[in-house]
């Protein structure tokens, strides 16, 4: 492979960290062939890029000589990214937001914008609807909702659902009741022309994320149904929407992916075996849908991606244990051949993008660790080479690429955030930098490139603007910095370097240029900390250029020692004192990282009781010294050990006055003092009342250090009263409903407190004839309870009261006889009514 042209090589060196200024002393500086102009600030990043691996895809559309695009912002209320509609005619005056054409609070799906020859289509959500299909003819009046499908706040088109241009209209999917795209629709922008093509749910199917591809008047897509996820097609009619072929016969899925139109055929990857993917092609018929070549790899699943058309040839990427391979195929198994195989670190271990330009294919590797790489191929192994890295000795990342002027234009951003626009025609000599791009905003580096009116548009931020839309076009009079990648400046104050006149040299055209720096007035460059400093220059024509230099302040002063204490007081570990380790000190040096630190006394020495002076000396390689001195006082601040051997003593009450409590002897320990005095609020063996009593024990050594511990003495009454119930009782009544309870009292005895007796049922409770249990509960004042029970039998005797009340008054005369007859009759009647214990009618 060849080398850079002289100019390109020098430009590349300008980006290398640690490199000297890009041009040798006295060498003339050529102006960049491109100029940069700001068109407008943006509320977010313009979504020029499609999926991350498709660097060449664009989410924008031209209509009536204007470019329409979406500005992507994060919506915290829905936790998704939403778009705002913008338009530009390539001038600052003609670049503006069109969000006022839409209802208030409308959120656009940022990846949904599509253009047909006469209309724009996108999906948007308003406060009253879910995501729905909208259209615009480039006027306020012609911007409207096509049709609400179906009505409802959360129904309609799914977020990030595909929109496929189809003639002068589009195809799109509508969510079903299960929240998946079950219906295929088409729209020409009018309400009447927005109709359902087919309800896939009627075939128990739904559209999957395998992708869409248009081939003539047919759109192919992936859908899942009873046969699994397979290849489908549609011509925009219900009858013409059907599965092409069950690639994996039965319910198993083939998972068609990367659908790509190549010449007059459709190519795609499908998994019909456990080993992995195969390459397929289709003419839209079942018989014409055939496997081209297998790529077996056990347990790998999907491992061929990025199908890309170059003429009638399809290229794709394959992942294998030996590395990443680029393949080509002419549609036959014999014509499916590897172009190159490289380790992941050389071909972009993270992702790759394939971009066809003319008769060449460019492979852009995107690796988050190793940086970007750029390869070019004509389809043969010998015609496949790696183009030189714009920054040969550091990581550089390719953020956008597009076909432009017969070659490939692409953006490059270094680790330090310096961005540049490059172009290549596929040769080393034809690879060069065109201009420096806005930089100084690490979170918004240049991303996405869109050709428009012969110029290039990109979105990026700089040190003064978070997001903006920029236009790049050829203009040899644009200002150009002589921009070193790094620069060391001498410090002029202890903490670094105050702002100096360190602006890099600038070459301008006929107009005088102004310069500003991201280094604010009075800002200090800290010592030994590389700081990216961005410079911006502009002229009266609105042309802007940038330079980002990593600037580091260097100083020759003595090491600085921070966090040096005024004094320290520490506690002794033993009678000998303490093993002392110096506290962590902040020691920095402006000129050398090799700082010799010495301690006196040595670190880890034993310091005796009393005060010792400590000294720390920091010496750099130049002999500059700084000293930190402070006294350390060692004293006995170690309190005696706890004298309490137990934390709690529990005893049973001996009587109403409480109980005597005892605990182990109080014997504290102290490693530094031989004399320890113990005092307590109570003595072992004291009489303690019922409840909880806190005994405080204080141990005090000769240095006055003391330790307090507690013994909780808990005197409790946990014994229930002694309860005795009376014998079982029998009550006789002449009343059919029963009688009131009567029985002797139970007896209870308790040594600590008086007990209360409770009966259930209580005396006087009405009792029906039969057997009744009486429960007696005795509860003392501590809540201890005892239970016993006895039985009461209630007998019904209708004559008992007569015998009791009549006595001898019942005689033998006729009146007496009549009275006995009446009594017997009454008794017979009652017995019939209460036969078997149940009343009779």
């Amino acid at each position: 492979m060849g080398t850079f042209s002289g100019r390109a090589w020098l430009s590349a060196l300008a980006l290398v960290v640690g490199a000297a200024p890009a041009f040798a002393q006295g060498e003339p500086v050529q102006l960049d062939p491109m100029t940069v102009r700001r068109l407008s600030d943006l509320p977010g990043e313009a979504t020029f890029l499609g999926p991350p691996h498709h660097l060449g895809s664009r989410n924008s559309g031209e209509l009536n000589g204007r470019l329409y695009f979406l500005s992507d912002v994060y919506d915290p209320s829905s936790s998704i990214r939403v778009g705002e509609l913008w338009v530009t005619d390539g001038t600052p005056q003609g670049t503006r937001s069109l969000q006022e054409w839409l209802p208030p609070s409308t959120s656009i799906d940022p990846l949904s914008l599509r253009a047909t020859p006469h209309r724009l289509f996108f999906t948007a959500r308003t406060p009253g609807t879910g995501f729905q299909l909208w259209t615009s003819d480039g006027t306020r009046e012609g911007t409207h909702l096509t049709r609400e499908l179906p009505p409802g706040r959360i129904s309609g088109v799914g977020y990030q659902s595909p929109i496929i241009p189809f003639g002068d209209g589009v195809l799109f999917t509508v969510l079903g009741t299960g929240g998946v795209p079950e219906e295929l629709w088409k729209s020409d922008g009018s309400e009447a022309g927005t109709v359902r093509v087919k309800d896939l749910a009627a075939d128990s199917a739904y559209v999957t994320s395998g992708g869409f591809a248009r081939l003539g008047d047919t759109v192919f897509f992936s859908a899942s149904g009873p046969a699994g996820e397979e290849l489908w097609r549609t011509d925009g009619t219900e009858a013409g929407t059907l599965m092409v072929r069950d690639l994996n016969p039965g319910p198993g899925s083939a998972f068609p992916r990367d659908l790509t139109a190549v010449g007059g055929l459709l190519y795609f990857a499908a998994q019909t075996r456990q080993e992995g993917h195969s390459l397929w092609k289709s003419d839209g018929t079942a018989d014409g849908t055939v496997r081209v070549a297998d790529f077996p790899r056990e347990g790998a699943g999907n491992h061929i991606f990025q199908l890309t058309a170059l003429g009638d040839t399809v290229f794709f990427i394959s992942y294998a244990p030996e590395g990443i391979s680029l393949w080509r195929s002419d549609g036959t198994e014999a014509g499916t051949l590897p172009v190159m195989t490289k380790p992941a670190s050389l071909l972009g271990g993270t992702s790759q993008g394939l971009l066809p330009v003319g008769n060449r294919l460019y492979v852009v590797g995107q690796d988050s660790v190793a940086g970007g790489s750029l390869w070019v191929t004509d389809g043969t192994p010998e015609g496949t080479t790696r183009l030189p890295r714009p920054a040969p000795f550091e990581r550089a990342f390719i953020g956008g690429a597009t076909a432009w002027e017969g070659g490939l234009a692409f953006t490059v951003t270094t680790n330090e955030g310096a961005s540049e626009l490059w172009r290549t025609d596929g040769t080393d000599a034809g690879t060069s930098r065109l201009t420096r791009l806005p930089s100084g905003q690490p979170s918004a580096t240049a991303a996405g490139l869109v050709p428009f009116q012969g110029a290039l548009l990109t979105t990026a931020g700089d040190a003064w603007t978070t997001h903006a839309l920029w236009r790049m076009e050829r203009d040899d009079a644009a200002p150009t910095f002589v921009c070193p990648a790094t620069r060391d400046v001498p410090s002029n104050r202890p903490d670094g370097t105050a702002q100096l006149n360190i602006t890099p040299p600038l070459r301008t055209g006929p107009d005088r240029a102004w310069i500003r720096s991201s280094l604010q007035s009075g800002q200090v460059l800290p010592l030994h900390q590389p700081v990216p400093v961005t410079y911006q220059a502009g002229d009266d024509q609105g042309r802007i250029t940038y330079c980002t230099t990593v600037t580091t302040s260097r100083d020759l002063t003595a090491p600085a020692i921070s966090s040096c204490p005024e004094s320290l007081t520490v506690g002794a570990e033993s009678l000998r004192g303490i093993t002392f380790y110096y506290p962590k000190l902040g020691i920095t040096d402006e000129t050398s990282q090799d700082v010799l630190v010495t301690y006196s006394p040595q670190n880890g020495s034993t310091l005796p009781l009393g005060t010792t002076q400590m000294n720390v000396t920091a010496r750099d390689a130049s002999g500059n010294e700084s000293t930190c001195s402070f006294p350390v006082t060692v004293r006995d601040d170690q309190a005696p050990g706890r004298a309490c051997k137990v934390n709690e003593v529990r005893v049973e009450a001996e009587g109403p006055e409480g109980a005597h409590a005892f605990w182990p002897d109080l014997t504290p320990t102290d490693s530094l003092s031989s004399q320890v005095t113990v005092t307590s609020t109570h003595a072992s063996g004291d009489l303690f009342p019922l409840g909880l009593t806190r005994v405080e024990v204080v141990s005090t050594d000769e240095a006055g250090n003391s330790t307090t511990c507690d013994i909780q003495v808990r005197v409790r009454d946990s014994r229930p009263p002694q309860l005795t119930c009376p014998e079982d009782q029998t009550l006789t009544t002449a009343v059919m409903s029963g009688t009131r309870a009567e029985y002797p009292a139970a007896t209870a005895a308790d040594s600590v407190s008086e007990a209360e007796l409770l009966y259930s049922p209580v005396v006087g409770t009405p009792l029906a004839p039969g057997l009744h249990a009486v429960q007696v509960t005795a509860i003392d004042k501590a809540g201890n309870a005892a239970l016993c029970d006895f039985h009461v039998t209630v007998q019904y005797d209708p004559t008992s009261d007569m015998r009791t009340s009549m006595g001898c008054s019942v005689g033998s005369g006729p009146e007496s006889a009549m009275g006995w007859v009446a009594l017997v009759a009454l008794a017979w009647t009652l017995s019939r009514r209460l036969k078997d214990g149940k009343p009779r009618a």
Side-chain angles (χ1 to χ4, degrees), residues 268-293:
F268 59 97
Q271 183 177 347
T272 57
R273 302 174 182 175
Q274 287 297 101
E275 293 83 10
H277 260 175
S278 300
L279 179 66
W280 288 69
K281 67 179 180 179
S282 176
D283 62 1
T285 66
D287 294 338
T289 302
V290 296
R291 181 188 294 113
V292 176

Side-chain angles (χ1 to χ4, degrees), residues 58 131 212 396 449 473 782:
R58 293 196 295 273
F131 279 101
F212 286 77
L449 281 175
E473 57 190 330

Side-chain angles (χ1 to χ4, degrees), residues 5-279:
S5 65
R7 178 182 171 196
W9 176 250
L10 292 173
S11 299
L13 286 178
L15 291 176
V16 181
V17 174
F23 298 93
Q25 184 70 30
E27 184 178 348
V29 179
Q30 298 295 323
L31 294 173
D32 284 342
M34 296 281 286
T35 189
V36 179
R37 287 184 172 88
R38 177 193 279 112
L39 296 182
S40 176
D41 291 350
L42 299 175
E45 182 179 351
T47 52
F48 285 153
L49 287 179
H53 56 276
H54 289 159
L55 289 176
S57 65
R58 293 196 295 273
N59 190 48
S60 59
E62 288 190 49
L63 187 64
N64 301 324
R66 292 177 172 81
L67 183 74
Y68 294 83
F69 61 95
L70 299 175
S71 178
D72 180 12
V73 296
Y74 176 74
D75 180 12
S77 64
S78 60
S79 299
I80 62 175
R81 304 199 70 85
V82 296
E84 180 177 308
L85 184 62
W86 280 68
V87 66
T88 182
D89 63 359
T91 67
Q93 300 79 10
T95 303
R96 63 189 182 94
S97 170
L98 299 180
Q99 204 68 9
E100 62 181 15
W101 290 3
L102 304 173
S105 303
T106 296
S107 302
I108 303 177
D109 185 335
L111 296 179
S112 66
L113 185 62
R114 296 294 181 271
T116 64
H118 301 98
R119 304 197 68 84
L120 299 172
F121 290 88
F122 55 90
T123 59
R125 180 186 61 190
T126 63
T129 67
F131 279 101
Q132 303 288 343
L133 183 69
W134 285 67
T135 187
S136 177
D137 61 0
T139 66
R140 179 193 297 269
E141 298 75 15
T143 302
H144 57 83
L145 175 69
T146 58
R147 176 180 173 186
E148 188 173 347
L149 304 170
R153 182 177 180 83
I154 61 174
S155 302
V157 183
Y159 178 65
Q160 294 189 351
S161 293
I163 299 177
I164 308 95
F166 191 61
D168 202 23
V170 293
L171 289 174
F172 62 101
T173 58
V174 173
L175 300 180
T177 56
V180 295
E182 297 177 345
E183 298 181 3
L184 186 66
W185 287 66
K186 65 181 178 180
S187 176
D188 61 4
S190 67
E191 182 175 3
T194 302
V195 295
R196 182 170 62 192
V197 175
K198 185 167 185 174
D199 182 6
L200 299 179
D203 294 337
S204 301
Y206 61 90
V207 179
T208 64
S209 58
F212 286 77
R214 181 179 175 185
L215 187 64
D217 294 331
T218 302
V219 171
F220 293 86
F221 60 97
S222 177
S224 181
E229 186 173 342
E230 300 291 348
L231 181 67
W232 286 57
R233 59 169 288 173
T234 182
D235 60 1
T237 67
E238 182 176 10
T241 302
L242 68 163
M243 185 174 68
V244 177
R245 176 183 169 183
D246 187 359
L247 305 175
N248 197 8
S253 295
F255 303 110
R257 294 292 185 273
D258 281 87
L259 280 58
T260 305
V262 183
L265 296 174
L266 174 78
Y267 284 79
F268 59 97
Q271 183 177 347
T272 57
R273 302 174 182 175
Q274 287 297 101
E275 293 83 10
H277 260 175
S278 300
L279 179 66

